[in-house]
Amino acid sequence: MLSRVVLSAAATAAPSLKNAAFLGPGSFFNHTGLGVPLKTTKRIRASICTIITCRVLQATRTFRTGQPHLAPIPPLPEYGGKVRYGLIPEEFFQFLYPKTGVTGPYVLGTGLILYALSKEIYVITAETFTAMTLIGIMVYGIKKYGPSVAAYADKINEQKLAQLEEAKQSSIQQMQNAIDMEKSQQALTQKRHYLFDVQRNNIAMALEVTYRERLYRVYKEVKSRLDYHIAVQNMTRRKEQEHMINWVEKHVVQSISAEQEKETVAKCIADLKLLAKKAQAPLVM
Amino acid sequence: MNENLFTPFSTPTILNQPATIPIILFPAMLVLTSKHPINNRLATIQQNLTQLILKQMMMTHNAKGQTWSLMLMSLITFIAMTNLLGLLPYSFTPTTQLSMNLAMAIPLWTGTVMVGFRFKTKNSLAHLLPQGTPTPLIPMLVVIETVSLLIQPVALAVRLTANITAGHLLMHLIGNAALALSTTNFSLTLLTSTLLALLTVLEIAVALIQAYVFTLLVSLYLHNNT
């Protein structure tokens, strides 16, 4: 406990020593720079402080004869003991209660005050009026502003507690969120097979489509080749036909002589006249 | 107990041994230090007040000036506690003694001046002459400024001493008057109310601490920054 106090005192003294580095005579040397920058001298001073503190603590170990607390000490009470009239603890009234009842301490107090006054153990001087006025002002001030100041102090403490609580809660909340996300991820992995099924189906369909497309293409190719052959055949036959017709016509025309042509033309005319007569006759009828 | 008006300001003795040093060290026992983050109400309020005053005072300084924060905070706490404890009846206030106030003022003022002259020599010397003075007046003005600089520690000490002593003395006098008139008992109430008003004003002795530290602070500020 003492060591903690001394160490904390040294720790608070260390910055003040750092401050004093500017005020102390060494500051001149530090600043003129014997090649040493100021920050390292500050650190050296702080380390020297702790070294000296440790040495002092070791050296004075023989003087600290009380038992150190090796177990955790009980915590300080949150509120002080109950006090009546701001000065006298309640335990005093409880102490006198069995013997003198409720009015015991008051009678004792009054008696003591009157005794001191009458025997001039307490002399009424100018200070008495000062004391009375001061006590009056203090009581008035405390009665008027006491609760609000106490509430303010409580509020400050509440804020500090709330901050720490907030930090704790937020970290717990973060952990919880992480746990929930992990759980949901785990749940998702259970449902992965749907995804795989869909993908599998998609691939099978794509394969089928490709297969059919190729089949159709093959069919079309074969058909076009066969169509080509058929077209060639048709074309050759037609050409042969035309050629034959042309040859026959040519020869027929060659074979027809001029006389035969005249004879045939006259015969055709005679036939036509006959036909005309035949046609007119049914009409008249 | 107080046979004349000088007795409240004489060296306090316990069994004829001078008790000045324990009395000076006593206010330190009333300033609570605690390692717990959450304390009882008194400690919380003290911590809060210290934080408030610290922020208020040290905001205007740069990093160099802020190295003085511990010094200035302990100064203001000490003077405030001492003055407030001196208001109690039958108590001795160390700050009524000029010796103590000079012992506080001179080293601190010298520190600020030396810091200023050490690190910003030109600026500090330039402060000895206000801006915009006509040229024929310069020698005289430098002398005047030097004198006003040299009188600062004395002014600080004497100001604090005089204020506190005057306040205490006045309270004693009015108390005496009230005591003397209490036998006749007709203006007792009037005097007690006057005493009461004076006391409330005297509790602005704490404002004097503010004045003290602020003056010191202003000088430090000027020396360090400008």
Side-chain angles (χ1 to χ4, degrees):
Chain A
M1 181 62 189
L2 178 66
S3 54
R4 258 193 290 150
V5 168
V6 174
L7 267 175
S8 69
T12 48
S16 76
L17 267 182
K18 281 188 264 180
N19 306 340
F22 293 108
L23 301 179
S27 70
F28 291 94
F29 303 119
N30 288 344
H31 191 77
T32 46
L34 303 168
V36 182
L38 199 55
K39 267 196 183 152
T40 54
T41 52
K42 277 188 194 171
R43 259 189 244 129
I44 289 169
R45 274 180 191 273
S47 57
I48 286 175
C49 252
T50 45
I51 291 171
I52 290 176
T53 313
C54 296
R55 285 204 189 131
V56 163
L57 282 174
Q58 272 294 103
T60 56
R61 195 187 273 244
T62 52
F63 297 125
R64 281 176 276 131
T65 49
Q67 287 288 341
H69 284 271
L70 293 171
I73 54 176
L76 292 172
E78 196 174 335
Y79 295 106
K82 288 231 154 281
V83 164
R84 218 188 274 203
Y85 299 117
L87 280 177
I88 308 161
E90 269 298 324
E91 285 86 1
F92 184 66
F93 292 84
Q94 294 306 315
F95 171 68
L96 289 181
Y97 181 74
K99 292 285 185 281
T100 54
V102 176
T103 53
Y106 296 104
V107 172
L108 178 66
T110 317
L112 277 174
I113 289 172
L114 286 176
Y115 167 68
L117 280 174
S118 71
K119 285 273 224 182
E120 295 266 313
I121 296 175
Y122 177 72
V123 182
I124 294 191
T125 61
E127 296 267 14
T128 316
F129 282 96
T130 322
M132 283 190 332
T133 334
L134 183 73
I135 290 175
I137 289 182
M138 270 170 57
V139 168
Y140 168 74
I142 288 175
K143 279 269 159 44
K144 186 153 179 221
Y145 299 112
S148 62
V149 168
Y152 178 64
D154 282 341
K155 188 168 70 109
I156 291 174
N157 277 348
E158 282 295 312
Q159 275 175 349
K160 278 192 207 166
L161 270 176
Q163 267 183 343
L164 296 170
E165 192 68 32
E166 174 67 36
K168 183 175 92 163
Q169 284 303 327
S170 80
S171 114
I172 288 178
Q173 195 59 37
Q174 270 183 346
M175 301 281 180
Q176 198 61 41
N177 289 348
I179 290 175
D180 287 341
M181 181 165 332
E182 186 64 33
K183 286 234 173 81
S184 70
Q185 297 281 350
Q186 280 178 355
L188 276 177
T189 55
Q190 297 301 319
K191 304 198 177 82
R192 264 190 321 184
H193 65 278
Y194 287 128
L195 190 70
F196 296 153
D197 282 343
V198 165
Q199 281 180 339
R200 221 177 285 135
N201 282 343
N202 279 352
I203 288 170
M205 267 204 303
L207 282 171
E208 187 74 27
V209 162
T210 327
Y211 168 70
R212 290 206 184 157
E213 221 181 324
R214 285 190 192 158
L215 201 64
Y216 179 65
R217 212 161 6 119
V218 161
Y219 163 76
K220 265 194 11 180
E221 284 285 311
V222 166
K223 186 160 169 302
S224 74
R225 304 256 161 87
L226 290 175
D227 281 343
Y228 166 73
H229 284 298
I230 292 173
V232 161
Q233 270 185 357
N234 286 347
M235 192 201 67
T236 36
R237 198 181 303 150
R238 208 175 51 227
K239 281 281 183 223
E240 283 173 358
Q241 272 185 352
E242 281 178 6
H243 185 257
M244 269 201 311
I245 291 170
N246 286 341
W247 189 83
V248 165
E249 276 185 7
K250 196 170 74 170
H251 277 275
V252 164
V253 165
Q254 272 179 351
S255 72
I256 300 176
S257 60
E259 296 163 358
Q260 275 183 333
E261 203 175 330
K262 262 195 233 170
E263 269 180 42
T264 9
V265 165
K267 194 171 181 275
C268 287
I269 288 172
D271 280 334
L272 275 171
K273 279 186 186 167
L274 213 75
L275 273 171
K277 276 188 198 156
K278 269 200 198 155
Q280 275 178 359
L283 248 147
V284 168
M285 294 283 286
Chain B
M1 200 188 250
N2 297 324
E3 55 266 18
N4 56 14
L5 286 170
F6 288 113
T7 41
F9 303 111
S10 62
T11 317
T13 58
I14 295 178
L15 301 171
N16 270 329
Q17 308 303 313
T20 327
I21 293 184
I23 290 182
I24 291 178
L25 293 176
F26 176 66
M29 291 173 63
L30 298 175
V31 178
L32 302 172
T33 55
S34 161
K35 288 189 229 21
H36 304 280
I38 308 222
N39 310 309
N40 58 356
R41 289 172 178 171
L42 185 64
T44 315
I45 290 182
Q46 272 186 355
Q47 275 175 359
N48 210 24
L49 219 61
T50 312
Q51 247 182 356
L52 189 75
I53 298 175
L54 180 70
K55 270 198 215 155
Q56 186 71 21
M57 283 213 311
M58 290 300 153
M59 250 183 356
T60 50
H61 288 204
N62 56 1
K64 201 128 181 255
Q66 278 173 356
T67 56
W68 281 61
S69 2
L70 183 64
M71 182 71 229
L72 292 175
M73 283 310 296
S74 32
L75 188 70
I76 187 173
T77 316
F78 170 67
I79 300 181
M81 293 299 304
T82 318
N83 290 346
L84 283 175
L85 282 174
L87 290 174
L88 296 172
Y90 304 109
S91 57
F92 170 70
T93 324
T95 41
T96 53
Q97 313 297 317
L98 185 65
S99 51
M100 191 181 110
N101 291 347
L102 275 173
M104 283 197 298
I106 291 183
L108 287 170
W109 169 85
T110 317
T112 64
V113 166
M114 282 172 99
V115 163
F117 273 112
R118 182 75 187 75
F119 296 111
K120 294 206 176 165
T121 319
K122 263 194 291 187
N123 271 336
S124 307
L125 284 174
H127 276 307
L128 291 177
L129 189 68
Q131 272 180 342
T133 57
T135 324
L137 282 174
I138 287 182
M140 203 172 62
L141 220 54
V142 171
V143 173
I144 290 177
E145 287 287 326
T146 317
V147 167
S148 81
L149 181 75
L150 290 173
I151 212 172
Q152 272 181 349
V154 179
L156 281 170
V158 171
R159 182 188 304 121
L160 187 60
T161 316
N163 274 301
I164 306 287
T165 317
H168 281 257
L169 212 59
L170 212 55
M171 275 174 39
H172 270 282
L173 286 170
I174 294 186
N176 262 331
L179 185 67
L181 284 168
S182 63
T183 52
T184 52
N185 213 4
F186 71 100
S187 50
L188 180 66
T189 46
L190 191 77
L191 273 165
T192 10
S193 57
T194 323
L195 190 60
L196 204 135
L198 187 69
L199 259 175
T200 354
V201 169
L202 198 64
E203 274 176 64
I204 310 173
V206 184
L208 201 70
I209 299 94
Q210 199 81 327
Y212 186 96
V213 188
F214 261 110
T215 330
L216 191 65
L217 194 149
V218 165
S219 111
L220 174 72
Y221 181 84
L222 278 172
H223 273 253
N224 265 343
N225 298 359
T226 50

